[in-house]
Amino acid sequence: MGAQAGPTFEVADAARWATGRAARWLAPVVLAGGWLIAFAVAVAGDTQPCSAADPSVCGPSVPFAWASVALFATPILLWWMPLVGCVAGIGFAVFDLAADPVPAARVAFAVHGAVCLIAAAWLLTARRRQLVRASVVARPVMIEPGVTVPDPRAARRWSARTVVALLLVLVGALAQLRYRHDSLAVERHVAGADRVDVRVQRTDTDNDVITVQLPGNGGRAEIGVYDAGTYREGSSVPVLLDTAGPREWVRLVAEPPDVTPWLTAGLGAFALAALLASRDWAARSARRRLLESSMAGIDMFGQWEIGAKVTLRPAVNARAVASVRVVPPEQAGVLPGDDPWTDERAMRYGRWWRDEDTLAEHDRHDVTESGPTPFGSPWPVTVAGSLRDGGWVILLTETGVLLPTAPLRTRQPDDDLPPPGGPDDEWAAVEDPLSTLGDKDEDGAFDRPPGSVVETGWSGQLPPLPLVLRERGRNRLVGAAMALALVGAPVVVGLGLLQDWWQVLLVLLTGANVGLRGWARVVRGLWLEREELAVNSGFLVHRVPWARLHGVRRDEQALILAWEPNVMARVGPFDSRSFGSGSFGSGSFGARSFGARPFRADPAADGSTAERAGALLLRLRSLATAAGSPDGTAFTRPGSVWAVAAYYLLVAVAAAWLCHLH
C-alpha cells in the first residue's frame, strides 16, 4: 500500500519518541573531550628516557602501530559514528592496559574506555527505547499492487563516498609501499652497520638535532632525536654506522629508526575506506531488505528540504521530529502526490520574484520561520522500517516508495536552529532563496524577494554571443596569487626544506586550501549564450535555459539570479573596466569558451556595472522566450576546481616522495 489513513503520532508522543535518543552532545563533546584529556595525560606521563641498554623504550612497535589506528580514529568516529567510536575507544583501552609500559597512559585510557562502555550501553538502550515507543502506534504495512516501487539500484552505486573510498585505498596502498620500502632499507643498513661510540659535539634543542663526531676521518653527522636536551655536549653515545652506501648512515642505538607511522597511515586509510564503503553497502542492503519483508510503519507527514531530504512531522502544523535523506524522486521515478511545483505555480513564483505580482497566501506561509519548505505543504507518508535514530526506513507515499540513502535521524527541540543567513561566498548557488535572503512581514511570512529589481533596460546593439562576464579584476588578481600555492607548496616540500612529516602535511593541505580557493576566484564568471546561461563558481557550473530563469535582482554591486524550481545564486561584482570599456575574455568554462568573442560596451552608458549586467541578462531572457527557445532543464556539473584538485593530489604525492629522498 501507499500512505494510508491510520493511527498517527500524537504530537506529545512523537516528541517523546524523538527525545528518546541519546543526547547528540554525548559522543562529540563528552567522549571526544575525554579522549583529548586521556591523550594529554598519556603524553605527559611518558617521562622514561631513551636508553641504549633497552632500545625498545624509544624504538618502533608494530603492534602499537596497528592499535594507533583505533587510537586516532576514536575522536573522529565519536563525532561521525558514535557507537563505532565507542567500540574503537574500548578496543584501544584493552590493548593499552595489556601493552603500554606507561602507568599514567594505562589509567587514562582505561577510564576513557570505561566511559565509552557506559556511553555505548546508553546508545543501545536509547535505540531500544525509541523502538518501544514507536511500537505503540506502529502497524504492519505492505506495498500494494499499482504503487510505483523503484529498483533498489536506483541510487547511484558510484556515490561520493564510494569515490572517496577508492581514493583512500590508493592512498593506503602507497603508504604501505612506502612503509615496506623504508623498513627494508632500515634492515639493510642495520645488517651492514657497526656499533661505535661517538662524541656529541653540539646539541640543537630548538630543532632536536645533535651533531656527533664520527671516528677516523668520517667528519661530522647530524642526527634527529626525540629530545636534544637529554644529551650533553662532550658526552659519548653509541651509534650504528653503515658506510657501505653512497653516504654514511648513522643512527643512535638508543633511538632506532621508526618507519611505522607509514604503516599506521596506510592501515588508517584502509579502515576509513572500509567504513565509507560499508555505509553504501548498508544503504543498498537496507533498501533490498525493506522492500522484500513486512514492516512496521507509522503514518506521518513529510516535507521536502534541500538535498533530497524529507523532514517528518506528526501533524501538518507540528514541529519536525525526524528527517531522512532519500533517492531523489526524479532519479527513482517516484513523485509524492502533493507536488506543488506545477507550471502555474512556477509562473506565479517567477512573477513574484520579478516584482510583477504578490506572493499567494499559501505560498507565503510555505517559507516562514518554521524552516525551508521549497516544495510546499506537507504530504501524507508512511514511515516504515526500523523506527529509531540511526535506523533504516522507507517512505510510502500515495504514488510510490522513496528509498533511503542515509539512516533516519530524529530531532530534539534544540535541533531546530534558525535558517542560515545566506551563503557566505558570492557565486555559491543555494536552494530555497526565500528562507535565507527574503524579507519578512510582521507575521513572519516572506513579503518580497531579496534585493531590488533591475530597472534599467538594455538599449542599443547586443554583444556577439557567446559572451563571458568575469568577476572584478582585483578579485581575480588576488585569486591568481592564491592559486600560486598550488605550485609553491609542492616545490617547498619537494626541495626538502621541511624535516618533520607534520610540517609536510600542513604545508600541502594549506596549499590545497588556499590554491583551490584562488583558482575558483580566477575562473568565476557568467557564460551567456543564445539558448542558456551558465554560472561558474569554480567548484560547480550551473547551466540554466533562459526559459527557466525566474529573473534577475540587484543587491548593491552583485546580482541575484533565481531559476526553477528553487535555486538562487549571488554573482558578481563584475569587472567594471572590462564591462565599461574593455573586452570580455574567454576561458572560464573550459573548451567551449574558446569561441567567446570580445565585446566593448559603450563607455558612456549610464548605471552601475551590476545594473547593466542585469539589464543584459533580462534582455537575453526576453529574446529567448519570445523566440520560443527550447525550455530544457537546468542542471549542474562539477567545475574545473576538481580537475585541478586531482592534479594537485598527484603533484603532492610526488613532492612528498622527493622530500623523503632528500
Side-chain angles (χ1 to χ4, degrees):
M1 73 176 187
Q4 289 188 353
T8 59
F9 260 158
E10 295 292 339
V11 174
D13 292 336
R16 289 184 63 250
W17 170 73
T19 55
R21 74 176 192 204
R24 287 276 190 245
W25 47 262
L26 171 65
V29 177
V30 176
L31 297 182
W35 181 91
L36 289 174
I37 295 174
F39 188 83
V41 170
V43 172
D46 188 5
T47 58
Q48 186 176 1
C50 301
S51 170
D54 184 10
S56 64
V57 173
C58 296
S61 171
V62 173
F64 184 78
W66 281 76
S68 294
V69 176
L71 170 64
F72 294 110
T74 296
I76 300 174
L77 292 174
L78 287 172
W79 168 77
W80 178 31
M81 305 169 68
L83 189 58
V84 179
C86 288
V87 173
I90 296 169
F92 181 79
V94 172
F95 168 84
D96 202 66
L97 282 172
D100 199 331
V102 181
R106 291 199 301 270
V107 173
F109 283 110
V111 172
H112 183 259
V115 176
C116 285
L117 182 61
I118 296 173
W122 186 8
L123 289 170
L124 294 174
T125 302
R127 292 181 176 184
R128 177 63 180 170
R129 181 168 56 245
Q130 283 189 307
L131 290 174
V132 171
R133 290 179 179 178
S135 65
V136 176
V137 294
R139 57 185 176 82
V141 296
M142 59 179 295
I143 301 175
E144 292 183 344
V147 174
T148 303
V149 179
D151 189 331
R153 296 170 296 180
R156 294 174 300 169
R157 287 187 177 272
W158 290 88
S159 66
R161 283 193 295 260
T162 301
V163 174
V164 173
L166 292 175
L167 292 176
L168 286 171
V169 169
L170 175 61
V171 171
L174 293 175
Q176 293 298 309
L177 289 174
R178 175 69 181 271
Y179 166 71
R180 182 63 177 167
H181 173 272
D182 289 359
S183 61
L184 290 176
V186 170
E187 290 177 5
R188 287 194 302 269
H189 285 302
V190 171
D194 297 320
R195 175 168 173 158
V196 297
D197 291 331
V198 297
R199 188 173 302 279
V200 178
Q201 297 288 333
R202 189 172 66 88
T203 59
D204 182 358
T205 55
D206 292 333
N207 298 308
D208 285 327
V209 174
I210 64 173
T211 303
V212 299
Q213 179 66 47
L214 299 179
N217 297 323
R220 296 183 177 184
E222 292 185 346
I223 306 175
V225 295
Y226 289 115
D227 184 6
T230 59
Y231 297 91
R232 291 183 296 105
E233 294 182 358
S235 62
S236 179
V237 294
V239 299
L240 294 175
L241 175 61
D242 181 16
T243 59
R247 58 181 181 177
E248 296 166 330
W249 183 86
V250 186
R251 295 295 185 272
L252 290 172
V253 173
E255 300 186 24
D258 185 7
V259 297
T260 56
W262 289 108
L263 175 62
T264 300
L267 294 174
F270 288 147
L272 182 55
L275 287 173
L276 290 172
S278 69
R279 291 298 297 267
D280 279 348
W281 176 85
R284 292 194 295 267
S285 177
R287 287 191 286 264
R288 289 193 300 266
R289 183 178 66 254
L290 292 172
L291 291 176
E292 295 171 358
S293 61
S294 60
M295 302 163 286
I298 296 179
D299 292 325
M300 302 180 74
F301 291 90
Q303 198 164 35
W304 289 107
E305 281 193 8
I306 296 171
K309 182 179 180 181
V310 179
T311 56
L312 303 170
R313 58 192 73 218
V316 173
N317 297 321
R319 298 173 73 95
V321 295
S323 63
V324 60
R325 293 190 180 275
V326 298
V327 177
E330 63 275 10
Q331 185 177 339
V334 179
L335 194 63
D338 181 14
D339 175 27
W341 278 107
T342 60
D343 291 341
E344 179 184 355
R345 184 173 182 185
M347 292 175 61
R348 185 168 65 247
Y349 179 87
R351 290 195 300 270
W352 174 78
W353 181 265
R354 297 185 294 273
D355 283 356
E356 298 172 0
D357 199 358
T358 58
L359 198 63
E361 187 67 18
H362 68 276
D363 291 334
R364 295 170 72 245
H365 289 283
D366 280 341
V367 287
T368 59
E369 286 183 332
S370 61
T373 59
F375 286 88
S377 303
W379 30 270
V381 62
T382 299
V383 186
S386 181
L387 302 171
R388 61 169 178 81
D389 186 70
W392 291 92
V393 298
I394 59 175
L395 305 183
L396 286 72
T397 72
E398 294 288 353
T399 57
V401 179
L402 295 175
L403 301 177
T405 59
L408 180 74
R409 295 301 178 196
T410 56
R411 296 183 173 187
Q412 291 182 348
D414 57 354
D415 294 335
D416 290 320
L417 301 176
D424 295 330
D425 184 18
E426 287 122 351
W427 299 89
V430 298
E431 295 186 46
D432 191 22
L434 300 181
S435 65
T436 58
L437 295 176
D439 296 324
K440 301 174 185 176
D441 61 14
E442 62 274 9
D443 297 327
F446 288 91
D447 184 48
R448 63 184 180 86
S452 59
V453 295
V454 176
E455 298 179 353
T456 305
W458 183 269
S459 59
Q461 181 184 3
L462 287 173
L465 301 177
L467 178 69
V468 176
L469 306 183
R470 294 190 182 278
E471 194 176 344
R472 190 159 44 191
R474 62 172 176 266
N475 289 356
R476 295 174 59 208
L477 185 61
V478 171
M482 294 171 63
L484 292 177
L486 296 172
V487 177
V491 168
V492 170
V493 172
L495 292 177
L497 302 179
L498 307 175
Q499 295 181 351
D500 295 328
W501 66 269
W502 63 268
Q503 294 175 336
V504 172
L505 185 62
L506 179 62
V507 168
L508 290 177
L509 290 179
T510 302
N513 184 37
V514 174
L516 293 178
R517 290 180 180 274
W519 180 269
R521 282 175 173 260
V522 172
V523 301
R524 287 172 181 170
L526 288 181
W527 174 276
L528 310 182
E529 297 185 22
R530 198 166 301 279
E531 295 82 15
E532 64 180 7
L533 81 153
V535 182
N536 185 0
S537 67
F539 292 90
L540 295 173
V541 177
H542 310 275
R543 304 199 72 92
V544 184
W546 290 111
R548 298 300 179 189
L549 183 68
H550 286 309
V552 181
R553 301 182 69 87
R554 176 185 168 188
D555 186 10
E556 297 182 348
Q557 293 301 313
L559 295 178
I560 304 175
L561 313 181
W563 60 85
E564 295 181 8
N566 62 317
V567 184
M568 177 273 294
R570 185 193 299 271
V571 297
F574 301 103
D575 192 336
S576 59
R577 291 172 301 176
S578 295
F579 194 90
S581 59
S583 62
F584 294 99
S586 62
S588 289
F589 288 83
R592 295 186 61 188
S593 65
F594 289 115
R597 307 175 192 175
F599 169 65
R600 188 175 297 273
D602 181 6
D606 295 331
S608 70
T609 303
E611 188 79 14
R612 282 181 285 157
L616 175 59
L617 266 62
L618 290 178
R619 179 59 175 165
L620 292 174
R621 175 185 179 275
S622 175
L623 292 175
T625 53
S629 298
D631 289 347
T633 303
F635 68 93
T636 302
R637 64 171 177 84
S640 59
V641 166
W642 301 107
V644 176
Y647 141 81
Y648 184 80
L649 178 62
L650 296 176
V651 173
V653 171
W657 181 261
L658 288 175
C659 179
H660 167 68
L661 295 180
H662 282 293

